[in-house]
Amino acid sequence: MKLGDRPWMVYSLFLLALLGSFYLIIFSEGFLGNIMVELIGAVIFILIIDQLLLKSQRKRWRVVKHEIEHILSRTLNTLRDDILLNMFAFKPDISAGTADLDLLENSVREQKASKLQELYQLESEQMFEMIKNNYLSRKYEDLFLEKAEDLWRILNTKYIEHLNPEEVKLFLALHLHLRDLHAGLKTYLRGQQETGKKGYYQQKGQRSIIHNTREIIENLIELRKMGYQPSSIYIEEEQ
């Protein structure tokens, strides 16, 4: 919690406690010695609680935290590939003459990261044309709604509270943008079925698709910076 987020009553009570302490130190004989004894006892008690109880609890939950982070990394990995492969027809270069699988995987990860940065910088019309040609021209499925639900099942657990709040904020934003992307795609395709309303639905859907795709890419880039790296080699799906 940031300093400015705390209620003003907390600061008022803290100030009153300080003023009261100064008054008692000056005008009450023996108060200083008594309060020092109380403080020493409180510090010892806090240290005992921290070492014996809280430290043990943190150690147990650290294992769960690592597992949650691993599951989230795998979920993001498949989402990155779905975005790159299905929406933008990206195919990494794996023709490098090396027998070292680790080096090849690192190369593919860097190519994917570079491609996301490149896509994020695209103009809106250029981005939409790529999506239209590579994704909207094919039979649409509820892919991104499924991805949003997969992500929500992970976030909707009590263990998520052990993650960094900034990470959770990004994951929640990613979940929302995936759902909105699904809605935008459905709106755009609805224009093909509504007689006389094609222009309205397609313009509305196009705006939503561009905005949410860009936001999703930005979320993926930021989460990668936080350590959520793809952990497996790019796997091309059968067309």
Side-chain angles (χ1 to χ4, degrees):
M1 181 182 291
K2 296 181 180 179
L3 190 62
D5 296 334
R6 294 185 174 89
W8 63 269
M9 183 64 72
V10 174
Y11 299 111
S12 300
L13 292 174
F14 181 70
L15 180 60
L16 288 174
L18 284 178
L19 293 175
S21 297
F22 285 130
Y23 177 83
L24 291 172
I25 289 173
I26 295 172
F27 296 102
S28 178
E29 184 178 355
F31 175 77
L32 184 60
N34 291 334
I35 197 171
M36 290 301 297
V37 172
E38 294 289 341
L39 286 174
I40 292 172
V43 169
I44 293 175
F45 179 75
I46 291 172
L47 289 175
I48 291 174
I49 293 297
D50 180 73
Q51 292 298 317
L52 296 183
L53 299 179
L54 298 182
K55 186 176 180 180
S56 175
Q57 184 182 32
R58 286 194 299 267
K59 185 177 180 180
R60 292 197 304 270
W61 283 112
R62 193 177 297 122
V63 177
V64 177
K65 178 176 180 292
H66 290 164
E67 287 300 316
I68 293 294
E69 289 174 340
H70 177 66
I71 294 171
L72 286 169
S73 291
R74 292 183 59 180
T75 303
L76 290 182
N77 189 30
T78 59
L79 176 57
R80 287 185 184 102
D81 286 353
D82 287 329
I83 292 286
L84 291 172
L85 175 64
N86 291 308
M87 299 188 77
F88 297 100
F90 171 66
K91 296 184 184 298
D93 180 13
I94 55 175
S95 61
T98 175
D100 192 326
L101 183 58
D102 290 334
L103 289 177
L104 187 56
E105 287 185 333
N106 288 334
S107 172
V108 171
R109 282 195 291 267
E110 291 303 317
Q111 289 180 60
K112 290 197 291 186
S114 177
K115 187 63 177 180
L116 284 177
Q117 290 283 358
E118 178 186 324
L119 293 171
Y120 184 70
Q121 300 299 327
L122 288 178
E123 297 291 336
S124 296
E125 291 297 328
Q126 187 178 3
M127 176 182 286
F128 182 73
E129 283 302 313
M130 294 180 69
I131 296 172
K132 181 179 178 182
N133 295 334
N134 297 316
Y135 190 63
L136 290 173
S137 60
R138 303 185 308 186
K139 182 180 179 182
Y140 173 72
E141 298 177 353
D142 294 337
L143 173 64
F144 295 108
L145 180 60
E146 293 172 1
K147 295 299 179 184
E149 291 173 349
D150 288 343
L151 185 59
W152 181 250
R153 278 191 287 269
I154 302 171
L155 296 175
N156 194 28
T157 66
K158 63 179 181 181
Y159 308 115
I160 205 70
E161 66 188 39
H162 298 280
L163 297 181
N164 186 311
E166 290 301 317
E167 296 176 10
V168 177
K169 179 181 177 181
L170 280 173
F171 280 117
L172 290 173
L174 180 59
H175 166 261
L176 178 62
H177 292 309
L178 284 169
R179 297 190 70 90
D180 288 347
L181 174 59
H182 165 77
L185 290 165
K186 299 291 282 187
T187 299
Y188 180 85
L189 294 173
R190 184 179 176 182
Q192 299 175 1
Q193 305 169 355
E194 296 286 344
T195 305
K197 299 180 181 179
K198 178 178 181 180
Y200 167 74
Y201 285 115
Q202 291 198 340
Q203 287 183 32
K204 184 178 180 180
Q206 177 177 337
R207 182 172 60 182
S208 176
I209 291 168
I210 293 170
H211 170 74
N212 288 294
T213 300
R214 196 182 301 279
E215 291 295 321
I216 289 169
I217 292 174
E218 182 180 15
N219 290 151
L220 291 174
I221 292 172
E222 291 301 315
L223 286 166
R224 185 178 188 273
K225 292 178 182 177
M226 290 185 173
Y228 288 91
Q229 303 268 7
S231 57
S232 61
I233 195 167
Y234 182 96
I235 301 175
E236 181 178 349
E237 297 179 1
E238 294 182 2
Q239 302 298 316

